[in-house]
Amino acid sequence: MKRSSKGEEPWVGEAISFETPSGHRMLMYREIEYAGKSVKVPDMMPRNPQGIAPPHLDHLFISGEDPGLNARFFCEALDFRVSEECIDEEGKTLVSFLARTNTPHDIAISTGPQGKYHHIAYYVDNWDEVRRAAQILADNDWSVEVPPSQHGGTRGQTTYFKDPSGNRLE
């Protein structure tokens, strides 16, 4: 764990950084600088939305060599709860879905390389919006990695694609 003074981390006030058992660096802070002009409160339903227009981020999916250890760390140190797990025949955790909110999960950790990112998921309101997102991607000649489908674990509807930098998005 390392403390940093205001300004040591770009745009961030006083902070604490630490590494999770999976090798992911986390940064906790109370203050952050805001760039640009102040904005008015947005409309409940945006007028003439451009593109997919998801209203917010939904979850982060990362990997590590021991998802069970990582889940324990997130639960004990950061007050997450396990909402769902996939466990092998020997009782070893393969994937942990963790939540701090009323969603199926805010972060998921799977077996895989230490410190790696799997995907970031954006929220859309319903199945029609998932299909609309995939159609927008297809209409713009963007490759859809996983067509609109239903997850096995959380039973949510989804589609996957990669952004121009190669990051996997859901």
Side-chain angles (χ1 to χ4, degrees):
M1 185 170 77
K2 178 188 174 238
R3 289 185 169 273
S4 58
S5 301
K6 184 174 184 172
E8 275 186 63
E9 294 285 341
W11 310 290
V12 174
E14 290 182 42
I16 298 171
S17 64
F18 58 93
E19 193 171 288
T20 66
S22 58
H24 292 89
R25 182 175 177 258
M26 299 282 174
L27 183 68
M28 296 177 72
Y29 57 88
R30 264 185 56 183
E31 293 178 25
I32 190 164
E33 287 182 34
Y34 291 93
K37 300 176 186 176
S38 61
V39 295
K40 68 178 183 118
V41 176
D43 295 327
M44 285 299 291
M45 294 296 292
R47 298 173 198 196
N48 306 313
Q50 298 291 311
I52 299 167
H56 59 82
L57 289 173
D58 188 73
H59 65 268
L60 169 68
F61 201 121
I62 59 177
S63 69
E65 293 171 0
D66 189 345
L69 176 63
N70 282 285
R72 196 166 73 243
F73 170 78
F74 274 87
C75 291
E76 292 174 7
L78 301 173
D79 204 26
F80 279 77
R81 64 180 164 70
V82 175
S83 58
E84 203 163 345
E85 282 187 310
C86 298
I87 299 171
D88 70 11
E89 301 80 29
E90 288 90 41
K92 183 178 177 189
T93 302
L94 301 174
V95 182
S96 280
F97 297 91
L98 308 167
R100 289 251 342 188
T101 63
N102 63 346
T103 62
H105 56 285
D106 296 303
I107 189 165
I109 307 166
S110 70
T111 303
Q114 282 287 94
K116 295 297 179 179
Y117 151 94
H118 189 272
H119 71 266
I120 291 176
Y122 291 93
Y123 175 87
V124 293
D125 289 321
N126 54 48
W127 179 236
D128 289 334
E129 290 295 312
V130 172
R131 290 189 308 226
R132 179 180 167 276
Q135 188 63 54
I136 288 170
L137 292 165
D139 288 349
N140 288 280
D141 299 319
W142 205 258
S143 177
V144 174
E145 190 176 285
V146 175
S149 56
Q150 188 169 19
H151 270 303
T154 61
R155 293 160 296 289
Q157 293 88 21
T158 189
T159 190
Y160 287 88
F161 61 100
K162 290 191 176 171
D163 71 11
S165 298
N167 297 305
R168 191 173 201 217
L169 305 176
E170 178 183 10

